[in-house]
């Protein structure tokens, strides 16, 4: 098939490679424009842009598609059978969705209709879901509301992180989109029951509320690492990033939530406790708890602040 591929982050790269390896003709790759990155803020091409150049594919990176009639004309000129979209980052107007002969197919990182929206991977872990997956859907004007062609699932357990789930779903998406184009299964409308929405995340979503249970805090750490990252505040205002923890839901204590209980960085939660295993203080890299404590002791009795413990807005981690 003659394909237009549209994607931007790492998540989309395996699908691009899978389509190319399957022998499809990729007429063009659309991606977000290069953005400033790193300490020097030099322009950096997106992962999809870099992958496309390696494969020798033509790349387009319009800033916007809204009312961009010149880009609509260029899109139509490729005479594609289908457009495949994976975390592209721009909304396709209906005038573009209607151009390819077989329409536009989206690789969505959830088992629709659960977790439509911007952060399906993180939301599945935060909610304690036992599985996630990828849905290949026909795109329409609504937010992830289109009919489904194919779905595949992966389990979520107590060790699943946003990074590991991202990688599993990314690979699965590549497999499913090739299968969907080969088999062309009939589209099935999404059920009306079970619809949930994954909201766009902000850095403040990463602030730990120690009043929550150990299980909920562990899920937050696993779901929001590496981005937006989880953090807490010391009483002196220092921002402390939390990279990993072990939940201790049966741990009994009578301490205020957020109190360090021992010299192993066990911290009291609203229910149970968590043992912090990876931490980072400002200006340093993430490190194991033992190494962290050698340079910055947190003796028993130290209190890590929950949002309700301070009246001012929390400083944001760098």
């Amino acid at each position: 098939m003659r394909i237009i591929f549209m994607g931007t982050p790492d998540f989309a790269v395996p699908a691009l490679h899978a389509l190319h390896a399957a022998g499809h003709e990729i007429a063009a790759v659309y991606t977000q424009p290069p953005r400033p990155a790193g300490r020097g803020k030099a322009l950096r091409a997106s992962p999809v842009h870099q992958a496309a150049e390696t494969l020798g594919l033509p790349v387009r990176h319009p800033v916007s598609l809204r009312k961009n009639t010149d880009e609509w004309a260029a899109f139509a000129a490729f005479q594609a059978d289908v457009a495949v979209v994976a975390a592209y980052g721009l909304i396709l107007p209906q005038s573009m969705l209607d151009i390819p002969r077989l329409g536009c197919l989206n690789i969505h990182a959830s088992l629709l209709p659960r977790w439509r929206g911007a952060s399906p991977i993180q939301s599945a872990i935060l909610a304690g879901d036992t599985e996630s997956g990828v849905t290949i859907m026909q795109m329409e004007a609504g937010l992830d509301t289109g009919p489904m062609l194919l779905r595949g699932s992966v389990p979520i357990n107590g060790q699943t992180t946003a990074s590991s789930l991202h990688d599993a779903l990314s690979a699965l998406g590549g497999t499913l989109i090739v299968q969907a184009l080969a088999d062309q299964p009939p589209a099935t409308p999404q059920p009306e029951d079970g619809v949930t929405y994954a909201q766009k995340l902000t850095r403040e979503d990463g602030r730990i509320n120690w009043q929550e249970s150990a299980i909920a805090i562990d899920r937050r750490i696993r779901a929001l690492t590496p981005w937006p990252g989880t953090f807490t505040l010391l009483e002196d205002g220092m921002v402390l990033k939390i990279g990993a923890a072990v939940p201790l839901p049966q741990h009994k204590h009578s301490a205020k939530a957020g109190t360090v209980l021992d010299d192993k960085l066990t911290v009291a939660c609203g229910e149970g406790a968590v043992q912090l295993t990876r931490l980072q203080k400002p200006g340093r890299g993430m490190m194991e708890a033992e190494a962290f404590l050698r340079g910055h002791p947190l003796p028993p009795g130290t209190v890590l602040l929950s949002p309700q413990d301070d009246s001012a807005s929390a400083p944001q981690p760098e």
Side-chain angles (χ1 to χ4, degrees):
M1 276 189 198
R2 186 169 170 84
I3 295 172
I4 294 173
F5 186 85
M6 312 179 84
T8 297
D10 288 319
F11 177 83
V13 172
L16 176 60
H17 281 295
L19 291 167
H20 186 267
H24 292 287
E25 180 187 1
I26 301 175
V29 173
Y30 278 70
T31 190
Q32 290 278 308
R35 307 290 191 196
R39 293 188 180 274
K41 299 301 181 182
L43 290 180
R44 180 181 300 169
S46 75
V48 165
H49 190 150
Q50 295 175 48
E53 288 190 337
T54 299
L55 294 172
L57 302 173
V59 177
R60 298 183 68 87
H61 43 72
V63 174
S64 173
L65 297 176
R66 186 174 179 267
K67 298 182 179 179
N68 190 343
T69 54
D70 289 342
E71 195 58 56
W72 301 353
F75 189 83
F78 287 116
Q79 298 184 319
D81 296 308
V82 66
V84 173
V85 183
Y88 175 39
L90 292 181
I91 295 174
L92 274 65
Q94 190 66 49
S95 54
M96 291 185 72
L97 294 176
D98 294 338
I99 289 174
R101 180 175 63 87
L102 298 176
C104 299
L105 303 184
N106 181 238
I107 303 172
H108 185 75
S110 82
L111 295 172
L112 291 171
R114 186 162 177 80
W115 303 129
R116 296 172 178 172
S119 57
I121 292 174
Q122 296 90 340
S123 295
I125 298 174
L126 279 170
D129 292 359
T130 58
E131 67 173 356
S132 182
V134 168
T135 304
I136 308 298
M137 55 165 282
Q138 190 87 42
M139 294 178 69
E140 58 182 28
L143 178 63
D144 300 328
T145 58
M148 306 177 295
L149 279 72
L150 203 59
R151 298 202 309 169
S153 64
V154 298
I156 297 176
N157 58 37
Q159 286 70 51
T160 301
T161 65
S163 293
S164 65
L165 184 55
H166 168 282
D167 292 350
L169 297 183
S170 178
L172 178 60
T175 299
L176 291 182
I177 190 60
V178 170
Q179 182 181 344
L181 293 181
D183 298 345
Q184 297 189 41
T188 303
Q190 294 185 35
E192 296 182 2
D193 293 337
V195 174
T196 58
Y197 286 91
Q199 302 301 318
K200 185 176 181 180
L201 296 170
T202 68
R203 291 190 183 278
E204 185 60 25
D205 290 314
R207 188 172 183 187
I208 294 175
N209 181 356
W210 298 104
Q211 300 286 349
E212 292 185 334
S213 70
I215 291 175
I217 290 172
D218 171 59
R219 287 176 184 162
R220 185 165 298 274
I221 294 169
R222 289 187 289 111
L224 303 186
T225 300
W227 198 92
T230 49
F231 68 98
T232 188
L233 267 64
L234 299 179
E235 290 179 304
D236 63 4
M238 178 186 289
V239 176
L240 192 64
K241 293 184 182 180
I242 309 298
V246 176
L248 304 169
Q250 306 303 319
H251 191 100
K252 303 297 183 183
H253 63 81
S254 58
K256 175 184 176 180
T259 302
V260 177
L261 299 175
D262 56 27
D263 58 4
K264 297 181 180 179
L265 282 183
T266 303
V267 181
C269 304
E271 181 180 329
V274 295
Q275 183 180 353
L276 307 182
T277 57
R278 286 180 58 79
L279 306 92
Q280 180 181 356
K281 62 182 179 180
R284 301 293 297 274
M286 189 69 69
M287 59 186 72
E288 300 299 319
E290 183 177 351
F292 177 89
L293 289 173
R294 285 199 294 267
H296 196 287
L298 293 177
T302 300
V303 176
L304 308 179
L305 301 180
S306 292
Q308 58 268 36
D309 292 329
D310 58 271
S311 57
S313 296
Q316 294 295 312
E318 296 178 357

